[in-house]
Amino acid sequence: PIERDTTSLATELGVAITPLEGLTAKLFYIQDEETDLINFWTSYQVSSFTFAFEYNLGEYGDAFGVEDADGDGYLLMANYALGDWGITLRYHDYSIEGKVAGQTFTVEENSAITISPSYKVADNLLLVAEYRMDEFGSEDVNSFALEALFTF
């Protein structure tokens, strides 16, 4: 059986609007014991292109082993689809800072570029290859993934 902790619940509030054809915007507020997060997401679809932007602003309390941790980050995405083929380019960047003995330090920072071609095998099956180039502070990490996304 699954145990559930009902003493520390979280709250999530969100609103979504579609003011123009092809344009969607969403705003979320998420709160739990130590975390307050605001997430803004928007996308615009025109012809065979989809463009998206996301921004997050968070306060994490004493998480990450520091005091008063907070951070922000964003994501930019562009997708082009032609028939059964598509390609997506993404860029994201974020950083988290906190205090130790009154001094502010960067606890974590990351940026990455992702190139992701895809092929629609059927109405409910998408094959995706993903190449991602991450930069964690001064360390570079490259990763490759193959995905089969099945929807029902």
Side-chain angles (χ1 to χ4, degrees):
I2 298 173
E3 290 186 33
R4 306 224 187 258
D5 179 7
T6 58
T7 60
S8 59
L9 299 177
T11 304
E12 180 176 331
L13 303 170
V15 62
I17 61 170
T18 306
L20 303 170
E21 184 175 337
L23 178 64
T24 301
K26 297 180 180 182
L27 181 65
F28 294 95
Y29 173 73
I30 301 147
Q31 185 273 330
D32 67 15
E33 284 185 11
E34 287 195 36
T35 303
D36 291 305
L37 178 69
I38 295 173
N39 171 265
F40 172 75
W41 177 91
T42 188
S43 71
Y44 180 65
Q45 185 174 358
V46 59
S47 185
S48 296
F49 290 93
T50 302
F51 303 97
F53 170 76
E54 182 174 16
Y55 180 73
N56 287 290
L57 179 64
E59 294 181 1
Y60 305 104
D62 295 338
F64 298 95
V66 296
E67 298 173 3
D68 300 328
D70 62 15
D72 69 335
Y74 65 92
L75 176 136
L76 300 168
M77 187 274 304
N79 172 271
Y80 178 74
L82 183 62
D84 293 336
W85 295 91
I87 187 148
T88 301
L89 300 173
R90 283 190 318 260
Y91 175 79
H92 80 255
D93 187 279
Y94 75 88
S95 66
I96 298 172
E97 296 181 342
K99 294 180 183 175
V100 175
Q103 299 277 341
T104 301
F105 294 94
T106 298
V107 178
E108 185 174 306
E109 61 183 351
N110 171 258
S111 63
I113 296 173
T114 304
I115 301 168
S116 183
S118 60
Y119 178 71
K120 184 178 177 182
V121 177
D123 286 341
N124 61 345
L125 179 60
L126 182 69
L127 298 179
V128 179
E130 188 171 284
Y131 175 63
R132 181 169 158 162
M133 299 165 283
D134 278 280
E135 185 178 301
F136 291 99
S138 62
E139 182 180 355
D140 293 338
V141 177
N142 295 319
S143 59
F144 184 76
L146 294 173
E147 305 165 10
L149 304 175
F150 182 74
T151 57
F152 54 94

